[in-house]
Amino acid sequence: LNHAQAAADGDGVIRVVISESDPGVPGWLDCAGHPEGTFAWRATTPTAPQTPRARVVSLAELQRHLPAGSRTVSPDERAEALRVRRRHLAHRMSP
């Protein structure tokens, strides 16, 4: 997710959810069936960002760990976001 794709919650925190299935939140990254992997966080800001924190929660418990009023993403919104991501990736990878 880049700066245009990442969405801060009402408390100003950007949350990323790595999951095999779509949890219906803006910051979803599909793990594509991989049981483990590496996640890289890069920030280019004039001041140092907060250190990222991670925790493992079940999808059934996810909403309890998000702030009240966190935005959800509909299937149509997700399809459009994925279409845009694919288009940007194809552009970056083209000669």
Side-chain angles (χ1 to χ4, degrees):
L1 300 174
N2 64 29
H3 71 286
Q5 298 164 330
D9 283 324
D11 59 2
V13 174
I14 295 174
R15 290 177 173 83
V16 176
V17 177
I18 303 171
S19 172
E20 191 169 332
S21 59
D22 185 351
V25 297
W28 173 50
L29 295 176
D30 186 350
C31 67
H34 299 285
E36 57 186 54
T38 302
F39 176 81
W41 177 268
R42 180 179 67 158
T44 54
T45 61
T47 59
Q50 290 185 6
T51 301
R53 295 179 300 164
R55 74 177 72 143
V56 177
V57 300
S58 70
L59 283 178
E61 295 290 316
L62 179 60
Q63 291 302 319
R64 283 184 352 126
H65 294 272
L66 299 175
S70 290
R71 194 167 90 70
T72 59
V73 176
S74 72
D76 287 342
E77 289 171 312
R78 179 70 71 210
E80 175 61 12
L82 292 176
R83 186 190 69 72
V84 169
R85 285 186 200 177
R86 283 191 297 274
R87 189 182 73 218
H88 285 261
L89 181 61
H91 176 73
R92 284 194 307 272
M93 298 300 162
S94 64

